[in-house]
Amino acid sequence: MLFVKRLARLRDSLWIEWRIALRFLADNPLQTLLISVAISVGAAVIVFITALIVGLQNNVIDKTLGTQAHIRIEATRQHNNLSPPPDNKYLWALESPRAQRLQTINNWQEVRDALDNYGAVNGILNTVSPLISGPAFAQKGTARASVALMGIDPTRYSGIINLNDYLQAGRFSVDAGDVLIGSQLATDLGLRTGDKLRLNAGDNRQTVVNVVGIFELGVRELDSRYVYTSLKQAQALLDLPGGVTILELKINDVFAAEYWAQRISKLTGLYVQSWMESNGQLLNALQSQSMTTQMIRVFVAMSVIFGIASVLAVSVVQRTREIGILRAMGSSQQQILRVFLLQGGLLGLAGSLLGVLVGFLLVLLFNNLGKSLFVLRLEPSMLLSAILIATVAGVVAAAVPARRAAKYDPAVAIRYV
């Protein structure tokens, strides 16, 4: 019962303080409007810049990682085997790195199944796709080009790259005798869908295939070298019957790729590489963009805090006599403190709501103004975070003026002119 009574008293007290705070804000509408507009500009900047940076990052990730796996698992790297040094002796050796021959992953079916089960249980992996990749020559008439044979399982590989989305001509098929080639390779060799192409992997392993589709991934190196065929066709040409050279993975959280690559390496003992390791410059650019966004948020929040603090500091001076009267009528220091904290919170909330609306309109304008390179999307969490940041900034900014107002001596404050 005591707790309920205290709660009721606090509710009645807050209702009084709420009305006093609104009265103080309404007494100077121009000042309240100007600071609310200033806060709304800050909130709009947070919303628009965050949406712009996130949209830019998603576009870069889609363009770059949309045509490659997040994690690649290969056979263990080959190293030179050195004799152990004699006891109490040191061995200084100058060795050349050992050439890495094309080799298959031992028991790759078991590794694939284990990763399938691991991903299904933990909800981490989207796709595990076997791939056999090796060098070959493509020949049409007297024209030749060095290519990369890509033997795939069509069903699983669609989870890594959905080649149907990148087809420019023909159809998707890697059945026996059918291949897909890149647009640049088709231009270099003068090929069209329906033409014949000779593939030569060396040591008299060659075959003639049908070009049934031409794709364009948007990366010149890939479009000029990749030739997609079936697993069996590639295994026969590369002389790796039943084997695969790579297991490709896609995971739900692309920025956790390095962590999971290290875990999978420890679990399997194989050579595992994440996109974060192979695309260091891209990762650095994405991290720099994220840091820029955070810095903009911090500086905008600081400008909002100083703006609200300056307005409330002036308000405390202007209302010194009113504060003295309230204190003389029995208002406690805590009530005066809460009046000015409420003012700060209300200014932050009102300004942020207006700012979120302006930010939303800016995003709509960006998406509908001509042909943009990417589309901005506003997540509800982004809008809520902008409102929360501005409201908390308002309360924090009001802390110092509110403490000053609460410490006024009623007798001195009433005589203030």
Side-chain angles (χ1 to χ4, degrees):
M1 291 297 292
L2 182 61
F3 174 75
V4 174
K5 288 181 179 177
R6 286 182 177 177
L7 196 62
R9 281 202 298 271
L10 179 62
R11 183 196 60 195
D12 296 339
S13 174
L14 282 177
W15 172 245
I16 296 171
E17 293 148 14
W18 171 268
R19 295 193 62 180
I20 295 173
L22 287 176
R23 180 65 178 271
F24 281 179
L25 290 174
D27 277 352
N28 198 336
L30 181 60
Q31 188 183 56
T32 302
L33 177 64
L34 289 177
I35 188 60
S36 297
V37 170
I39 296 168
S40 68
V41 171
V45 168
I46 290 177
V47 171
F48 183 69
I49 292 297
T50 304
L52 187 66
I53 297 295
V54 171
L56 181 61
Q57 284 186 341
N58 289 337
N59 181 61
V60 171
I61 289 172
D62 288 342
K63 294 289 184 187
T64 308
L65 300 184
T67 55
Q68 62 178 278
H70 297 160
I71 297 174
R72 291 164 62 93
I73 303 174
E74 300 177 25
T76 307
R77 294 281 170 166
Q78 296 177 314
H79 303 280
N80 294 321
N81 294 321
L82 301 177
S83 301
D87 293 340
N88 301 323
K89 300 288 185 184
Y90 294 97
L91 177 64
W92 294 88
L94 179 62
E95 58 174 328
S96 299
R98 189 169 175 177
Q100 303 296 318
R101 65 179 175 83
L102 197 63
Q103 56 179 335
T104 183
I105 299 174
N106 291 331
N107 302 320
W108 66 268
Q109 295 94 340
E110 295 179 7
V111 177
R112 178 200 60 192
D113 294 343
L115 290 173
D116 277 341
N117 295 331
Y118 189 75
V121 171
N122 296 283
I124 301 161
L125 304 177
N126 272 334
T127 307
V128 182
S129 177
L131 171 71
I132 177 168
S133 177
F137 282 102
Q139 180 178 359
K140 182 194 175 188
T142 56
R144 288 186 178 184
S146 172
V147 299
L149 276 180
M150 306 288 285
I152 60 172
D153 176 339
T155 305
R156 285 181 174 268
Y157 196 74
S158 63
I160 304 295
I161 302 176
N162 190 358
L163 291 171
N164 273 313
D165 294 342
Y166 297 95
L167 276 182
Q168 280 197 325
R171 57 189 171 81
F172 178 84
S173 173
V174 290
D175 293 337
D178 293 343
V179 297
L180 304 173
I181 64 172
S183 57
Q184 188 60 44
L185 179 62
T187 302
D188 293 344
L189 296 182
L191 289 168
R192 294 183 300 178
T193 56
D195 288 349
K196 300 288 185 183
L197 176 67
R198 180 178 294 278
L199 294 175
N200 188 344
D203 297 334
N204 292 323
R205 298 190 300 275
Q206 55 182 306
T207 187
V208 176
V209 294
N210 302 313
V211 177
V212 297
I214 296 175
F215 61 84
E216 183 169 326
L217 298 176
V219 181
R220 184 182 177 86
E221 176 66 16
L222 307 185
D223 291 336
S224 64
R225 295 205 64 209
Y226 276 13
V227 175
Y228 284 103
T229 184
S230 65
L231 274 177
K232 288 185 178 179
Q233 181 92 300
Q235 287 166 347
L237 284 170
L238 298 174
D239 196 23
L240 292 173
V244 300
T245 56
I246 302 169
L247 284 173
E248 292 192 325
L249 278 65
K250 279 224 168 178
I251 62 176
N252 293 322
D253 183 3
V254 295
F255 292 104
E258 182 60 27
Y259 170 78
W260 289 110
Q262 291 182 9
R263 287 204 61 173
I264 293 170
S265 178
K266 290 178 181 176
L267 287 172
T268 61
L270 297 170
Y271 177 75
V272 185
Q273 190 176 39
S274 71
W275 73 267
M276 302 171 81
E277 183 181 352
S278 57
N279 296 273
Q281 291 185 344
L282 172 62
L283 180 63
N284 186 43
L286 293 175
Q287 289 175 338
S288 299
Q289 289 174 350
S290 298
M291 188 181 300
T292 303
T293 306
Q294 298 303 324
M295 288 181 66
I296 290 173
R297 283 187 173 191
V298 169
F299 283 119
V300 170
M302 287 176 63
S303 65
V304 169
I305 288 174
F306 284 121
I308 294 175
S310 60
V311 168
L312 291 181
V314 173
S315 177
V316 168
V317 175
Q318 291 174 337
R319 305 190 181 284
T320 301
R321 293 192 64 185
E322 288 93 328
I323 294 170
I325 294 170
L326 288 171
R327 292 282 286 120
M329 291 173 66
S331 297
S332 66
Q333 289 187 343
Q334 293 301 317
Q335 286 179 307
I336 300 298
L337 183 73
R338 286 197 288 268
V339 166
F340 284 90
L341 290 179
L342 277 172
Q343 286 188 67
L346 286 171
L347 286 171
L349 180 63
S352 62
L353 290 175
L354 181 60
V356 165
L357 178 62
V358 174
F360 177 74
L361 294 176
L362 287 174
V363 170
L364 281 182
L365 184 65
F366 180 89
N367 289 335
N368 294 289
L369 189 64
K371 185 179 180 181
S372 56
L373 293 175
F374 52 90
V375 177
L376 302 186
R377 291 185 175 82
L378 280 176
E379 300 292 336
S381 58
M382 189 189 302
L383 303 180
L384 290 176
S385 67
I387 294 172
L388 184 64
I389 288 173
T391 305
V392 172
V395 175
V396 171
V400 174
R403 283 174 59 84
R404 182 183 174 188
K407 289 182 178 178
Y408 274 154
D409 185 337
V412 176
I414 289 175
R415 293 197 298 271
Y416 181 81
V417 179

